[in-house]
Amino acid sequence: SLASTAITCFTRGLDLRKGTEDVLCPANCPLWQFYVFGDGVYASLSSICGAAIHRGVITNAGGAVRVQTLPGQENYPAVNANGIQSQVLSRWASSFSVTAGAKNTALEAVGRSVSTARPSTGKRPKKTLDKKAGNKDCKADIAFLIDGSYNIGQRRFNLQKNFVGKVAVMLGIGTEGPHVGVVQASEHPKIEFYLKNFTAAKEVLFAIKELGFRGGNSNTGKALKHTAQKFFSLENGARKGIPKIIVVFLDGWPSDDLEEAGIVAREFGVNVFIVSVAKPTTEELGMVQDIGFVDKAVCRNNGFFSYQMPTWFGTTKYVKPLVQKLCSHEQMLCSKTCYNSVNVGFLIDGSSSVGESNFRLVLEFVSNVAKAFEISDIGSKVAAVQFTYDQRTEFGFTDYATKEKVLSAIRNIRYMSGGTATGDAISFTTRNVFGPVKDGPNKNFLIVLTDGQSYDDVRGPAAAAQKAGMTLFSVGVAWAPLDDLKDMASEPRESHTFFTREFTGLEQMVPDIIRGICKDFLDSKQ
């Protein structure tokens, strides 16, 4: 491999010129002098060697590091790792990542500390690295929503903290294992710490020990809704493709309503568990707003998501069964939402009656619908076909794995101009665009946009598409005959057929189409 470039303790990412570069960090850099911004992805303002130690790629004994230049981003987080406290930066124009560099003879280039570097490459670090990675078989981002109300009181609050601490330790928290955070529910919810704040069990344990009891009403519904909406953002450390879980601890019963919060959590793809302790007695039930509060809030009312403990005393035996539930990746039925588990195909009329300027309005409509979904290689996917008498696949489901790339591909679609053979186009799309993904995990939707009468039969091809598992929405503009639109649409036809006289009317339909896709998605999951 290429010889590495020797750099100093203070060389920054932005001092490098190449996209990928192998560098060599010296030994014994003063840790407290490092400026590091971010975690994993570092702002290019950061010291390279500082970032490499922060990431655990090298120790303070120095060594080879491979630096990869990355685009800029917003919200670089502050994380304490390996003796270095990185800092927050709201935005920077470029970034970099660090991985272990090529072990090559260029080590001599440092000219010093080579001998002292030897012992530290012994067997020990391997073990600590694995411990840092955590339990890789348990993929979960978990918020423990603890009860901080007067119901529970200070003494039981401390027992609750001990129990949550034991669960956290047994989960096997680590960089590649589960990540956890804590929210305290009382009168008003308070996020105590986020997923990104700690990636080691002992740090989490310490943070849990430090939590203070707040007191107040047990507004668990309010806290659950707040957690589902605010806690799991990417900038707060949620990871793509990893189940989001909220474990709600409830001593007694909630002072407010949980039903709406449960709906919001499901909409956001969060799996809600309820751990109820000291369930209300028969006499107390009269004070409970809604006796079925557990069933309304949990992800699915199938018994898996509710967990009972008689008291806060002697809870050790309840730790392991709860951890096993939280690590059952395949049981997390609420992770899939209409936003991250659909394939949406657009069949776009490119006939000459549309015209160039209206065609732009159609593409804008397509973009606005596509924008609503979480597009990624493990999430939702988008494809587009343009048709006249002919069909042209503009891009298929597997061509672009990010929202930015999909939106730019939509913008670059060129208007064909020609006749209208909608039936043929539906058959073409079913075969060539949906065929390759038909056995995949996502639910398939096709949105047909046309502004006129088709020269061929649409009913047969539409029925075949629906038989192949696709849900069809028809969107007609101007001269598109209502009978054709209804013949193409899935049942119930009323809610899958849209029409507007003018192309400018497409914009108003966007929310209804997205809502329609979500409704069909949820109905198919019941």
Side-chain angles (χ1 to χ4, degrees), residues 202-245:
K202 56 174 194 292
E203 297 172 344
V204 168
L205 258 183
F206 183 74
I208 290 171
K209 280 207 174 73
E210 294 291 291
L211 296 175
F213 174 59
R214 293 172 70 79
N217 277 327
S218 55
N219 288 333
T220 312
K222 185 176 176 183
L224 177 54
K225 188 173 167 184
H226 180 75
T227 308
Q229 290 171 322
K230 298 280 188 287
F231 182 85
F232 295 99
S233 64
L234 293 174
E235 55 269 23
N236 289 330
R239 295 168 290 175
K240 278 204 169 116
I242 297 223
K244 304 177 178 65
I245 299 173

Side-chain angles (χ1 to χ4, degrees), residues 358 451 476-480 498-506 509:
N358 285 334
D451 83 324
V477 189
W479 305 108
F498 292 84
F499 178 78
T500 170
R501 277 258 156 264
E502 304 289 333
F503 281 89
T504 48
L506 284 170
M509 293 179 186

Side-chain angles (χ1 to χ4, degrees), residues 8-213:
T8 72
C9 301
F10 306 109
T11 308
R12 299 168 305 176
L14 48 80
D15 299 327
L16 298 186
R17 288 285 162 263
K18 296 191 207 113
T20 306
E21 198 154 342
D22 284 310
V23 299
L24 217 54
C25 286
N28 308 323
C29 288
L31 292 189
W32 51 273
Q33 285 186 6
F34 279 134
Y35 273 103
V36 177
F37 302 88
D39 179 35
V41 173
Y42 300 97
S44 59
L45 204 55
S46 313
S47 148
I48 293 168
C49 300
I53 293 175
H54 184 266
R55 194 76 182 134
V57 170
I58 56 169
T59 63
N60 206 17
V65 176
R66 172 159 287 185
V67 184
Q68 178 79 42
T69 306
L70 300 170
Q73 61 170 47
E74 296 190 357
N75 304 320
Y76 295 88
V79 174
N80 195 334
N82 301 314
I84 293 180
Q85 172 65 57
S86 74
Q87 303 182 50
V88 174
L89 192 61
S90 59
R91 65 150 55 92
W92 195 251
S94 58
S95 318
F96 66 88
S97 65
V98 284
T99 48
K103 298 277 177 281
N104 56 25
T105 52
L107 264 171
E108 271 53 64
V110 210
R112 53 178 184 152
S113 78
V114 176
S115 53
T116 56
R118 283 285 175 271
S120 72
T121 56
K123 287 285 166 278
R124 279 229 9 251
K126 187 89 187 82
K127 184 85 194 81
T128 51
L129 264 179
D130 287 345
K131 192 164 185 300
K132 254 173 56 184
N135 176 11
K136 295 181 191 172
D137 297 331
C138 181
K139 293 283 188 227
D141 281 343
I142 304 171
F144 291 114
L145 181 51
I146 61 173
D147 189 338
S149 69
Y150 290 136
N151 267 4
I152 191 169
Q154 177 76 60
R155 181 171 176 228
R156 295 203 304 262
F157 180 77
N158 288 338
L159 293 171
Q160 173 182 232
K161 288 201 313 190
N162 291 346
F163 180 74
V164 172
K166 284 178 189 163
V167 172
V169 169
M170 190 171 249
L171 277 167
I173 293 165
T175 49
E176 295 173 54
H179 290 179
V180 306
V182 170
V183 182
Q184 186 173 168
S186 54
E187 195 69 44
H188 304 291
K190 175 170 191 255
I191 295 179
E192 301 282 4
F193 59 91
Y194 286 103
L195 296 164
K196 67 174 181 193
N197 293 130
F198 311 108
T199 54
K202 56 174 194 292
E203 297 172 344
V204 168
L205 258 183
F206 183 74
I208 290 171
K209 280 207 174 73
E210 294 291 291
L211 296 175
F213 174 59

Side-chain angles (χ1 to χ4, degrees), residues 197-521:
N197 293 130
F198 311 108
T199 54
K202 56 174 194 292
E203 297 172 344
V204 168
L205 258 183
F206 183 74
I208 290 171
K209 280 207 174 73
E210 294 291 291
L211 296 175
F213 174 59
R214 293 172 70 79
N217 277 327
S218 55
N219 288 333
T220 312
K222 185 176 176 183
L224 177 54
K225 188 173 167 184
H226 180 75
T227 308
Q229 290 171 322
K230 298 280 188 287
F231 182 85
F232 295 99
S233 64
L234 293 174
E235 55 269 23
N236 289 330
R239 295 168 290 175
K240 278 204 169 116
I242 297 223
K244 304 177 178 65
I245 299 173
I246 299 177
V247 184
V248 179
F249 289 95
L250 245 178
D251 186 293
W253 63 90
S255 323
D256 62 354
D257 180 45
L258 291 188
E259 186 168 12
E260 190 205 348
I263 293 168
V264 168
R266 287 188 286 275
E267 227 174 60
F268 276 82
V270 176
N271 300 276
V272 176
F273 284 78
I274 291 208
V275 177
S276 39
V277 184
K279 283 175 62 182
T281 60
T282 335
E283 301 81 83
E284 290 169 334
L285 277 174
M287 302 156 71
V288 181
Q289 263 195 37
D290 180 356
I291 298 173
F293 66 82
V294 171
D295 293 343
K296 302 267 172 67
V298 288
C299 160
R300 289 277 191 285
N301 183 3
N302 60 3
F304 181 76
F305 293 94
S306 44
Y307 196 68
Q308 272 137 23
M309 301 195 298
T311 74
W312 286 111
F313 295 97
T315 52
T316 309
K317 62 174 177 295
Y318 293 99
V319 173
K320 195 174 178 187
L322 179 59
V323 167
Q324 282 166 339
K325 281 182 185 248
L326 299 180
C327 291
S328 315
H329 194 249
E330 62 296 333
Q331 303 265 12
M332 299 302 161
L333 301 175
C334 288
S335 295
K336 290 192 174 307
T337 67
C338 64
Y339 299 109
N340 66 21
S341 300
V342 295
N343 296 324
V344 183
F346 293 92
L347 184 52
I348 304 166
D349 185 341
S351 60
S352 27
S353 50
V354 176
E356 186 74 57
S357 64
N358 285 334
F359 189 72
R360 290 288 124 207
L361 291 172
V362 171
L363 293 184
E364 213 161 286
F365 165 83
V366 171
S367 285
N368 287 334
V369 174
K371 224 180 252 163
F373 297 94
E374 294 163 31
I375 300 165
S376 75
D377 48 354
I378 52 173
S380 290
K381 297 180 172 54
V382 172
V385 173
Q386 186 179 173
F387 71 98
T388 53
Y389 282 143
D390 280 327
Q391 305 85 28
R392 180 169 81 198
T393 302
E394 301 291 355
F395 55 93
F397 287 121
T398 51
D399 290 344
Y400 301 113
T402 69
K403 192 180 294 192
E404 294 69 48
K405 286 187 175 152
V406 164
L407 295 176
S408 113
I410 294 168
R411 275 197 302 275
N412 292 327
I413 293 176
R414 293 188 320 283
Y415 173 46
M416 282 163 79
S417 187
T420 314
T422 315
D424 257 0
I426 293 173
S427 303
F428 171 88
T429 307
T430 305
R431 191 173 57 246
N432 296 317
V433 177
F434 285 90
V437 297
K438 96 170 170 302
D439 301 322
N442 288 1
K443 188 162 167 49
N444 292 314
F445 292 89
L446 176 63
I447 298 171
V448 183
L449 288 129
T450 177
D451 83 324
Q453 172 93 50
S454 176
Y455 295 112
D456 59 2
D457 166 58
V458 294
R459 190 177 297 180
Q466 291 172 35
K467 208 170 160 191
M470 293 152 58
T471 301
L472 270 65
F473 284 87
S474 58
V475 177
V477 189
W479 305 108
L482 205 56
D483 291 347
D484 272 12
L485 296 174
K486 282 223 166 87
D487 283 344
M488 291 187 283
S490 288
E491 298 284 350
R493 298 207 155 136
E494 284 57 54
S495 59
H496 291 82
T497 308
F498 292 84
F499 178 78
T500 170
R501 277 258 156 264
E502 304 289 333
F503 281 89
T504 48
L506 284 170
E507 199 182 338
Q508 279 95 53
M509 293 179 186
V510 172
D512 296 330
I513 300 265
I514 295 162
R515 225 173 278 132
I517 290 174
C518 283
K519 186 179 181 330
D520 288 343
F521 178 85

